[in-house]
Amino acid sequence: MQRISFPALVTSPVSDRPRRGIAGDCGGTSPVTFCYIWMKARRARSEAAVRHRLPPEVAERLRTLRECPVEPTEKGFGSLATAGGVSAASLAAARPSIRAAGFTYPLLTLRETALTNNIAAMAAYCARAGVALAPHGKTAMSPELAALQLTHGAWGITVATIGQLQAYRAFGFPRLLLANELVDEAGIAWLAAELAADPGFEAYCYIDSLDGVAILDRVLGQHPAARRLKVLVEIGHADGRTGCRSDAGALAVAEAASTTGTLIVAGVAGYEGSIRGDSQTQTLTRVAAFCRRLRALAGTLAEADPGTAERIVTAGGSAYFDVVTRELTAPGAAAVQVILRSGAYLTYDHGFYGTISPAGRGEADAPVLRPALELWAQVLSRPEPGLALLGAGRRDVGFDQGLPVPLRVLPRGGGNGPATAGWKLTELNDQHAYLRLDPEAALAPGDLVGLGISHPCTTLDKWRTLVLLNDDDLVVDMVHAFF
Ligand SMILES: Cc1ncc(COP(=O)(O)O)c(C=O)c1O
């Protein structure tokens, strides 16, 4: 199993030793820490498939972030931060057990082995299928996790808003796909300046209307970027979200964009995750039909503008990426680059994605993903025999796709806790969870209950620091989330 080592991700895929210049990048790192990082990297490299080098500017900024003391205002870190300070680097060096580390609860953790499994499994799936992956960065908003995805060959990082794009750009990410329309004039002007300042920066955004094209063209005209902004024509579906509803409309939008001097049409985009049917079979049939439509339009656009160098077709969240991949790479498809944008696969879950994803649906050849997120909550009270109140609630965990599920107990005094089979969370308040359990269960105030979650996006957005645990419940690292 490949292990995580964020700064060490910059090591060369073809050499055991950090490249010249990379060691220099570690100038701010102590020799002891650097040795530790390097040893971790060696182990990681020998266990991983090909690793890609992180752009030096991203590596540099992550190194700085890694040394930053966590503020006492971060959930879980108040006692640690006031007791002398803690950073990702110091936590990784100390490797305390979750119970001994001095966290306050609730606390959201990432299981390191599950996380690295998911990143590697999805990368391998895409490589086998001949598709690229621009993981959706809105899921975790974590530059460290996005960096890990890049080192596993991700083509770029997807974002949903210009603000998210700016957050990733602040860490130097060189290729960002804004999977949304951009009509924010301040955002467009900023993007133009960023494109002008760095010829190595590549950005994409969506268009789905003549008005949208006109806004981009006007603002880019006022703020010349010295090169054209790459746009993807978004295709929508009835009752769906953004995106052209008709093929004729999509072609008109593409034509309008290509006649500007500020935009270049790089392909088509769609999102199948919002498609619904009366049954799973009907949903999958509709998803497949939507993808065929995308594919046909990509071909039509390519024929209409044979001079365009870049031809992209992008779709694919974490629910139906198998169908997307199959349809967009089917024999006879136009020669286009297929880019998936899956995000939730990164942490997967014990609920929604666990059942709807390709592996959850029992698809052969689906990447085997493992739930990585665990919310740790303390038992506050056992006011009735069959009820325990936990100190975590809607402020800490998503509940839009199902309530958390009890996984494990870490008793206050150490040792193994009771099995959680048959236990159920039935309700969440803002800061409390109602756990129904066997009245005889040996669960007492102060014990920790580990909860699996459903829907990573609405859990992760409640946290700005994520603690990484190994399989022995030791804290092995920490990553940041910029929500
Ligand atoms: C446009 C778009 N692309 C990709 C994704 C990623 O999907 P998932 O969260 O299922 O991985 C989303 C998620 O909302 C999305 O809105």
Side-chain angles (χ1 to χ4, degrees):
M1 179 61 61
Q2 165 211 334
R3 291 177 49 80
I4 292 181
S5 183
F6 298 105
L9 295 175
V10 292
T11 51
S12 157
V14 292
S15 165
D16 257 358
R17 304 181 72 83
R19 284 189 171 175
R20 269 183 77 78
I22 299 301
D25 285 346
C26 289
T29 309
S30 79
V32 173
T33 310
F34 181 68
C35 277
Y36 170 69
I37 289 166
W38 184 31
M39 278 161 51
K40 276 183 102 181
R42 283 187 65 177
R43 199 167 347 141
R45 200 197 61 74
S46 66
E47 290 163 358
V50 175
R51 300 287 297 276
H52 298 254
R53 195 168 171 228
L54 204 57
E57 56 278 20
V58 179
E60 180 58 38
R61 289 172 208 186
L62 291 187
R63 201 164 8 255
T64 304
L65 182 65
R66 189 169 177 73
E67 303 290 339
C68 273
V70 181
E71 294 292 329
T73 45
E74 291 305 326
K75 287 202 281 189
F77 282 80
S79 306
L80 275 173
T82 47
V86 64
S87 64
S90 72
L91 269 181
R95 293 167 74 85
S97 78
I98 182 174
R99 289 238 66 155
F103 297 119
T104 55
Y105 294 92
L107 188 76
L108 187 66
T109 63
L110 275 171
R111 195 61 65 175
E112 182 194 36
T113 46
L115 182 74
T116 50
N117 168 78
N118 298 349
I119 294 176
M122 194 66 179
Y125 173 85
C126 290
R128 276 197 309 277
V131 300
L133 179 64
H136 210 313
K138 77 161 165 71
T139 306
M141 283 306 293
S142 168
E144 293 102 325
L145 297 181
L148 199 53
Q149 290 167 312
L150 282 196
T151 64
H152 281 75
W155 172 88
I157 299 297
T158 298
V159 292
T161 68
I162 187 70
Q164 293 177 357
L165 190 147
Q166 289 167 329
Y168 279 104
R169 190 63 193 144
F171 285 93
F173 281 79
R175 189 188 274 146
L176 295 167
L177 163 55
L178 172 51
N180 220 338
E181 280 63 28
L182 177 57
V183 296
D184 179 323
E185 299 199 8
I188 300 167
W190 174 88
L191 188 57
E194 200 67 9
L195 287 167
D198 181 359
F201 173 46
E202 285 185 76
Y204 300 75
C205 74
Y206 287 180
I207 48 172
D208 75 349
S209 70
L210 299 179
D211 284 343
V213 169
I215 294 172
L216 282 170
D217 187 38
R218 180 170 51 75
V219 183
L220 290 172
Q222 291 160 355
H223 302 271
R227 56 196 161 117
R228 293 197 276 168
L229 173 64
K230 296 175 183 180
V231 290
L232 302 166
V233 181
E234 189 188 9
I235 313 303
H237 58 88
D239 295 328
R241 231 166 38 186
T242 47
C244 301
R245 294 306 196 252
S246 75
D247 293 0
L251 293 173
V253 168
E255 196 186 339
S258 61
T259 54
T260 66
T262 55
L263 304 175
I264 185 158
V265 179
V268 300
Y271 180 55
E272 76 299 335
S274 51
I275 295 175
R276 302 274 175 270
D278 293 337
S279 63
Q280 188 175 80
T281 310
Q282 192 179 59
T283 302
L284 295 175
T285 304
R286 289 181 180 174
V287 167
F290 178 68
C291 292
R292 285 195 291 274
R293 189 177 151 218
L294 280 181
R295 199 177 92 183
L297 270 166
T300 309
L301 276 187
E303 276 167 26
D305 194 358
T308 306
E310 207 167 7
R311 290 171 185 170
I312 288 172
V313 56
T314 172
S318 299
Y320 311 120
F321 60 82
D322 54 333
V323 181
V324 171
T325 301
R326 190 180 65 232
E327 293 299 336
L328 295 184
T329 60
V336 290
Q337 182 172 25
V338 176
I339 302 171
L340 301 185
R341 302 188 308 270
S342 316
Y345 84 91
L346 176 69
T347 66
Y348 204 51
D349 68 14
H350 283 92
F352 179 69
Y353 283 100
T355 51
I356 201 171
S357 70
R361 284 184 272 111
E363 279 305 313
D365 301 330
V368 177
L369 303 173
R370 291 170 48 197
L373 284 171
E374 286 157 26
L375 179 72
W376 293 92
Q378 272 170 332
V379 179
L380 300 177
S381 169
R382 285 209 58 181
E384 297 169 21
L387 175 67
L389 269 298
L390 309 183
R394 291 188 294 223
R395 293 269 171 82
D396 310 302
V397 66
F399 51 93
D400 57 323
Q401 300 282 3
L403 292 174
V405 290
L407 300 175
R408 290 174 59 206
V409 175
L410 293 178
R412 189 165 60 92
N416 293 324
T420 59
W423 298 10
K424 196 170 184 226
L425 239 85
T426 53
E427 195 181 334
L428 290 177
N429 295 160
D430 286 351
Q431 317 282 178
H432 294 85
Y434 293 68
L435 175 62
R436 307 282 166 183
L437 72 175
D438 164 14
E440 310 299 325
L443 186 74
D447 291 347
L448 279 179
V449 180
L451 302 167
I453 64 103
S454 182
H455 199 186
C457 299
T458 52
T459 295
L460 285 161
D461 64 359
K462 296 166 176 57
W463 297 86
R464 293 185 301 201
T465 47
L466 303 169
V467 169
L468 267 77
L469 295 183
N470 71 6
D471 288 341
D472 296 323
D473 296 327
L474 297 182
V475 175
V476 290
D477 222 312
M478 193 206 92
V479 297
H480 299 78
F482 288 83
F483 284 107

